Amino acid sequence: MTKAYNTTLDLNQFNQYLTCNSKKFKELIPDNYPPFIDLIVTSPPYWDMKEYGKVEQTGYKQSYEDYLNDIEITFATLYKLSKETATLYVNIDTLKRNGKLIRLPDDIAKRLENVGWIHKDIIIWDKGKTLPWSHKGQMRNTFEYIYMFVKSENYKYYIERIKTVDKLKEWWVDYPERYSPEGKVPDNIWRFTIPTQGSWGTKKNFGDLEFKHACPFPPDMMARLIKLSSDEGDVVFDPYAGTGILLAVAEKLNRRYLGLDTNPEYKEIFERVTKPLINKQIIAINQTYEQEENKKRLLNEAINKLRILKFPKAIIKAFIKEQNQEFPFIGVFALSEHYQLDESEIALKKIGLASYYFILNPIADLYHEDVYNILREMSNNAPFSKYGLILNIYVITVDEAIQLYQDLNQNIYLYGNAVVNDAMFCISFVEFLEIIQNELINKKYCYKGIPPIFSNVEITLSNYEDILPDKYKKRND
Ligand SMILES: C[S@@+](CC[C@H](N)C(=O)[O-])C[C@H]1O[C@@H](n2cnc3c(N)ncnc32)[C@H](O)[C@@H]1O
């Protein structure tokens, strides 16, 4: 076979956009070269829908079978050149021919499976814009598909990097045990608006090369895929690079890139328009991720604190109901302990160690040991086992509580009237004694049997304004 290119690629020289037919890419690679691709994100031509310039290309004027054969050859080469940990995302859509829907995404998926790729997921890309018309038998189309493939089960998938806090339901403050402190995994409908011609500047920017490329990727969507499926220094690849948005974003996120396109005009656009544009846009993209990281740090801190403080309230509420007791306790210490979680505890979604000292009401008709056994048993079962806390539980007398306060030598905050998400104030020893005395008589800080909670954990909701739901109201039930 004659080589299409009389050069081989110097793989020490990444960050290249090559004018090259992806079907013939393997001819540039030295024989037996080890796999080097970490991530592929690409959008091949949608069969013969568009002519990408007067150059050789896949799709245009080809039969459907020839087109799919070209695609299969390309992705077979890329399979060989991809590492075991690699991921491939293919953006594609269905099309209509003679009134019939052609399921191009599935036909391509079958060809990719033929050459070894494992189909993992389907993401719906909601482009946020649609053409103003529709046809009979076709709604206005606003989405395309992103099919995810991998080479092995050892693929990179850093979901924590793309978790968000933004779309968290407002109930997380009241039900911290139900929400992950790490934020929320995005759902599989991704809303990223397609860049418009306007956002790429005017004709003037392009000189003679009036911007005709109708389908550039949204840079923020590329950033999400790059962060999800690659590390810094990895090789990010696009065999149908077009404007090269993926490549420019990859470079800015400290990855190496390689892109191919048969049309030399797009390489020119990449150098002259895409790169400067992404140089600007990456600032906003990075800011969004930094803000989200900051929000996730706040959420993590808040959820951990809220869980420690809500646990005694919730378990006492259940205890009162089950044991038919009115005022079993006159106070509880909820203490967060210094503790280094090991890997197995992290895998079990543990968040930390907490000690609870339940101060038994002297007039309650209960034995310490019985109460301890009931609380221990309850804490081992849902919902209390879902708090992610490694627990020490004690049942103590009023005298023992007074001794405990003195031994603690820490700031202790008061949570009264069953409000466990906003500290009332930091209490001194004298105030503590007063509160305990009061609780024995008039139950000033007790609400429906939930006694005051004394804790070394301080939470003030106003410190979490960046992540608090707008309509959040304090609730006492
Ligand atoms: C759907 S567009 C890709 C747009 C790109 N995702 C972006 O962000 O601009 C498909 C591209 O594939 C290129 N192309 C078509 N056949 C090709 C082939 N055999 N090898 C390499 N590139 C090809 C076209 O020139 C076109 O730029």
Side-chain angles (χ1 to χ4, degrees):
M1 188 171 72
T2 52
K3 289 221 169 201
Y5 303 94
N6 50 13
T7 169
T8 48
L9 182 66
D10 179 358
L11 290 168
N12 294 318
Q13 297 267 311
F14 279 102
N15 296 352
Q16 295 189 62
Y17 187 122
L18 303 173
T19 300
C20 160
N21 188 333
S22 57
K23 197 174 117 181
K24 299 174 187 163
F25 178 55
K26 69 165 178 279
E27 296 171 23
L28 299 185
I29 309 295
D31 290 340
N32 299 325
Y33 198 85
F36 60 93
I37 299 172
D38 294 285
L39 169 64
I40 305 167
V41 183
T42 196
S43 182
Y46 299 2
W47 185 19
D48 57 358
M49 293 291 283
K50 208 168 278 172
E51 183 180 18
Y52 293 101
K54 303 285 173 210
V55 291
E56 63 174 275
Q57 60 199 274
T58 295
Y60 194 65
K61 289 193 170 160
Q62 274 186 322
S63 70
Y64 194 50
E65 204 53 27
D66 287 348
Y67 161 75
L68 289 175
N69 287 342
D70 266 21
I71 295 279
E72 185 171 323
I73 291 168
T74 298
F75 285 99
T77 302
L78 298 183
Y79 184 82
K80 285 202 194 90
L81 297 176
S82 292
K83 293 184 189 164
E84 286 301 300
T85 49
T87 312
L88 158 66
Y89 294 95
V90 183
N91 161 227
I92 193 78
D93 200 9
T94 56
L95 51 97
K96 273 263 171 85
R97 197 53 48 93
N98 303 325
K100 270 172 55 181
L101 193 76
I102 307 224
R103 290 184 295 275
L104 185 51
D106 291 338
D107 291 337
I108 288 188
K110 277 182 208 140
R111 296 303 189 108
L112 264 57
E113 283 170 344
N114 282 350
V115 297
W117 290 102
I118 304 165
H119 195 178
K120 264 283 154 201
D121 200 7
I122 298 176
I123 297 163
I124 299 295
W125 169 24
D126 176 351
K127 297 183 288 175
K129 285 200 186 94
T130 167
L131 294 171
W133 42 261
S134 65
H135 297 296
K136 185 177 176 190
Q138 187 179 344
M139 299 292 161
R140 287 190 300 126
N141 189 17
T142 178
F143 78 87
E144 294 195 4
Y145 297 87
I146 298 173
Y147 276 20
M148 175 196 177
F149 300 86
V150 294
K151 212 178 152 169
S152 76
E153 287 307 312
N154 200 15
Y155 60 97
K156 293 183 179 179
Y157 198 67
Y158 302 109
I159 196 71
E160 67 282 1
R161 293 186 190 160
I162 67 161
K163 283 184 177 175
T164 59
V165 172
D166 270 354
K167 286 180 191 145
L168 224 55
K169 294 226 169 69
E170 67 179 279
W171 299 110
W172 67 265
V173 181
D174 289 321
Y175 298 98
E177 71 280 15
R178 296 188 197 166
Y179 290 86
S180 161
E182 317 297 334
K184 202 171 164 190
V185 175
D187 59 44
N188 55 7
I189 300 181
W190 289 15
R191 284 164 203 90
F192 287 101
T193 317
I194 32 173
T196 54
Q197 195 159 336
S199 69
W200 283 72
T202 58
K203 274 188 190 180
K204 204 171 102 234
N205 291 9
F206 294 89
D208 297 337
L209 275 179
E210 184 190 339
F211 180 66
K212 291 204 200 87
H213 216 286
C215 40
F217 280 141
D220 38 359
M221 186 165 90
M222 294 304 99
R224 183 185 269 189
L225 291 172
I226 291 167
K227 282 173 186 284
L228 175 61
S229 295
S230 72
D231 289 297
E232 291 197 358
D234 278 0
V235 174
V236 174
F237 189 90
D238 188 346
Y240 305 97
T243 54
I245 304 255
L246 171 78
L247 315 177
V249 175
E251 184 180 34
K252 286 283 145 197
L253 296 178
N254 301 323
R255 274 68 172 173
R256 293 175 292 164
Y257 69 79
L258 198 55
L260 315 176
D261 204 290
T262 43
N263 188 334
E265 288 189 357
Y266 296 144
K267 179 181 162 84
E268 157 91 31
I269 287 181
F270 171 67
E271 296 293 348
R272 203 155 52 81
V273 184
T274 306
K275 277 179 151 186
L277 188 86
I278 297 301
N279 277 348
K280 281 192 208 139
Q281 293 196 355
I282 201 73
I283 297 167
I285 292 174
N286 282 338
Q287 271 171 1
T288 311
Y289 278 91
E290 278 161 27
Q291 283 161 4
E292 207 58 41
E293 277 311 307
N294 194 37
K295 285 188 201 166
K296 280 193 257 182
R297 194 186 51 71
L298 282 176
L299 180 78
N300 197 291
E301 191 183 285
I303 292 229
N304 288 359
K305 288 180 173 188
L306 290 169
R307 285 194 190 179
I308 289 175
L309 290 163
K310 185 182 168 185
F311 178 85
K313 168 179 167 175
I315 206 166
I316 290 175
K317 199 169 160 186
F319 183 96
I320 290 171
K321 206 169 157 199
E322 273 182 30
Q323 303 300 314
N324 207 12
Q325 286 282 332
E326 247 189 321
F327 299 108
F329 307 104
I330 60 161
V332 191
F333 278 94
L335 303 176
S336 169
E337 308 280 8
H338 286 293
Y339 182 76
Q340 192 65 45
L341 293 166
D342 66 28
E343 270 178 30
S344 62
E345 288 163 337
I346 292 170
L348 288 169
K349 298 199 184 310
K350 296 291 179 202
I351 58 162
L353 173 68
S355 298
Y356 294 100
Y357 296 80
F358 294 83
I359 311 166
L360 203 60
N361 189 341
I363 60 161
D365 189 17
L366 292 163
Y367 290 107
H368 279 238
E369 209 177 315
D370 292 347
V371 175
Y372 171 81
N373 288 335
I374 294 166
L375 290 174
R376 192 78 250 185
E377 171 75 23
M378 287 169 80
S379 68
N380 289 334
N381 295 311
F384 306 108
S385 52
K386 306 268 184 212
Y387 280 63
L389 295 167
I390 302 167
L391 295 169
N392 292 321
I393 289 181
Y394 307 93
V395 179
I396 60 173
T397 62
V398 170
D399 287 346
E400 285 169 331
I402 293 169
Q403 187 61 48
L404 176 63
Y405 184 101
Q406 287 171 302
D407 294 346
L408 277 175
N409 201 20
Q410 295 181 44
N411 280 345
I412 295 294
Y413 300 88
L414 172 67
Y415 295 85
N417 307 324
V419 176
V420 288
N421 51 33
D422 230 352
M424 295 182 91
F425 49 89
C426 184
I427 51 170
S428 67
F429 181 51
V430 175
E431 285 165 331
F432 174 70
L433 290 178
E434 272 174 22
I435 294 166
I436 290 289
Q437 288 303 322
N438 260 324
E439 290 307 307
L440 288 168
I441 309 156
N442 62 15
K443 312 224 170 324
K444 184 172 167 197
Y445 293 112
C446 184
Y447 180 83
K448 291 191 179 171
I450 310 294
I453 292 167
F454 311 106
S455 183
N456 60 355
V457 173
E458 182 192 11
I459 184 161
T460 308
L461 279 186
S462 55
N463 291 344
Y464 294 92
E465 244 150 38
D466 282 355
I467 53 169
L468 273 188
D470 291 344
K471 289 186 185 162
Y472 178 73
K473 292 187 187 87
K474 278 188 199 163
R475 289 148 46 91
N476 286 333
D477 54 345

